[in-house]
Amino acid sequence: MAAKGRIPQYFIDDLLSRVDIVDVINRRVSLKKTGKNYSARCPFHEEKTPSFSVNPDKQFYYCFGCGAGGNAVGFIMDYERQDFPSAVDNLAHIAGLEVPREELSPQQQVKQERRKTIYDLMEQVSAYYQKQLRSDPQSQRAIDYLKRRGLSGRIARDFNIGFAPPGWDNLLKTFGDTEEHKQQLIDAGMLIEKEDGKLYDRFRDRIMFPISDNRGRVIAFGGRVLGDDKPKYLNSPETDIFHKGKELYGLYQARQNNRHLEQLLVVEGYMDVVALAQHGIMTGIATLGTASNTEHLRTAFRYASELIFCFDGDAAGRKAAERALENALPVMEDGRRIRFLFLPEGDDPDSVVNRDGAAGFQKLLANAAPLERYFFESLHEQTDPDTLEGKARLSKLALPGLQLLPDGVFRQLMLDSLANRTGLSRQSIDQLLDDVPAPTPPEVTTPAAPEQRRSTQKLTAKLPGSHRDPLLFALAMLLFNPRGAATGPANINNSEDSAAATLLNNTIALLRKRPDSSTAMLLGHWYGQPEYEVMTEALKTIELLGTELNDEKAEAAFFDTLAHLETQKSTQVLRNHVDKLRSGNEVDKPASPNYPELSETDKQQLLAIQQLLKQKHRL
């Protein structure tokens, strides 16, 4: 749309209240009524059993298979691959409305232009590097290297591969003509500022791999050295638009080339991703200089139901696989599949696919070990399962990992497998599992009225352990019934520095400004921002509770949980005080002779500390 200016929030809210998400989705995906909701096979990943649910009351959708979720605007953006203004235009046309535009405030203009400028700058820098690969006198070395690795000009173009020439100030001279532009290059991570104020290019004499976000915008770079500089691969630093702990190289290209992704191959480097694509395997993704973490896997599972990790068969590859396994267990929900492929020592996906072709690589993939097989075989290497001692050790080693699995059929089958391997009964395995320290926060309990506490406990008892985090639970209850929580406190004073804690406070602040917001409106507010992934986790909590949840229960559970969080914080403060005083043996001493002079607050705190210490002595 040619019109300039921001689409006003009041219009987006009005639009979401006028359109029915069931109608919007049913025009594109055939929905079936199941209870009070609608279901279908998810349009965002391949699946045989429907796990895609649409809630007509709260106007949101959620998929248990890939974790996709949101409101009607978000669905149009993901399904039609449209940007936000286009999706709003699309829905407005259906509703017979004309989209208004409003002028931005000076502060909004500055913020929007700053981010837009950085995105635009990164596109220009990417184009500059691509041009240097074609025209710079020093680029022949880079071209020869890419040819030796078996890459064609076409695949280099498809992945926008470029070249950063040797020299300390090529980028600085090209784009840093003003102080403002220099600062933009610093903000984008492309320039380094020394202590004396001098600037120089971060990337020099390197083959450049642009890193794109899920909308295809360049947000960072990875550079492969051509000379002897270290490190061999250098990545952009963290910036306002780049967070390497969440981004995956090649994911955008994989989505563009596969309407329905069935699997993604998690490899170790940029060259592996590009080499696989060169041979027609357009499903490779790579982390950006870090081991794959749970956030990476959750992101990947949004688009495919199966992940295959490809590792070298050497000691380093085995160690990386162990880390990947540990991070994979918490996300192994029913309907997801993870496999492990170990290549011959000295090989990587790049070398294998260039030597054996796509068919040879696919044969290896077909023999990749399922997670359950790798999990137990890796433990067998540390035990002797033919002896009683070995079986006991196998049980001890396996149970902490199995504790990480989300509740579901897969978890039960893994426990059955452990029982078969050790000869123990399932009842014995379950008893042993109960003795393993839970990796999740304590269940939600509060000092509220008994009937209210029991109601909240009944709700949380239906949730898997990974969704009993009080902060996430409170966010879910707020999202289900925003108006019931609009009168809540202005700020949740919780000591935990987590995404859920921050988002909970920000959403409460938003509701105090817009108390009539609906679930769909709140989802729209956070769409496209890092916090949105936490919102979709809250949507899952809502869907897991199903018919057990209604507005009244959600409101009661929300305030019940806030009371628990406040109690939890106060208790922790007192426990910290106990530990501090205990180290100096002050708490066991009689009350100070100046006790009558203490304030009532100090007296109450001292009494609470002494009571806590008595409990500590009894343990």
Side-chain angles (χ1 to χ4, degrees), residues 130 133-134 142-162 207-209 249 270-271 273-282 350 353-354:
Q130 293 170 61
L133 182 61
R134 298 191 302 268
I143 294 172
D144 291 342
Y145 174 83
L146 293 173
K147 287 182 176 179
R148 286 197 306 272
R149 300 296 295 266
L151 300 187
S152 66
R154 180 189 61 80
I155 205 68
R157 179 202 64 207
D158 290 347
F159 280 82
N160 298 323
I161 296 174
I207 295 174
M208 301 299 291
F209 298 86
Y249 179 74
Y270 305 106
M271 287 300 301
V273 172
V274 180
L276 290 171
Q278 169 80 45
H279 289 80
I281 303 175
M282 300 293 301
D350 175 15
V353 77
N354 277 306

Side-chain angles (χ1 to χ4, degrees), residues 575-590:
R575 288 189 184 281
N576 291 340
H577 204 6
V578 165
D579 292 338
K580 182 179 179 181
L581 294 178
R582 181 70 184 275
S583 62
N585 292 321
E586 294 294 331
V587 179
D588 289 326
K589 296 179 181 179

Side-chain angles (χ1 to χ4, degrees), residues 165-201:
W168 294 90
D169 58 0
N170 292 300
L171 209 63
L172 177 61
K173 288 190 296 187
T174 304
F175 296 100
D177 54 331
T178 67
E179 291 302 316
E180 181 182 7
H181 291 162
K182 290 176 183 176
Q183 186 59 50
Q184 290 167 358
L185 288 167
I186 294 172
D187 293 341
M190 302 309 296
L191 292 184
I192 296 176
E193 184 173 15
K194 298 173 69 175
E195 291 183 1
D196 59 5
K198 293 183 179 180
L199 302 173
Y200 63 93
D201 292 359

Side-chain angles (χ1 to χ4, degrees), residues 15 28 103 107-108 127 137 166 172 210 248 260 277 331 339 359 373 377 384 387 408 448 475 483 552 557 588 604 618:
L15 177 63
R28 296 158 177 85
E103 293 299 321
Q107 296 84 357
Q108 290 171 331
L172 177 61
L248 290 162
H260 296 292
V331 300
R339 292 191 286 154
R373 188 200 306 167
E377 287 181 354
D384 181 1
T387 66
L475 181 63
R483 298 184 184 185
E552 184 180 356
D588 289 326
Q604 292 175 3
R618 288 196 294 265

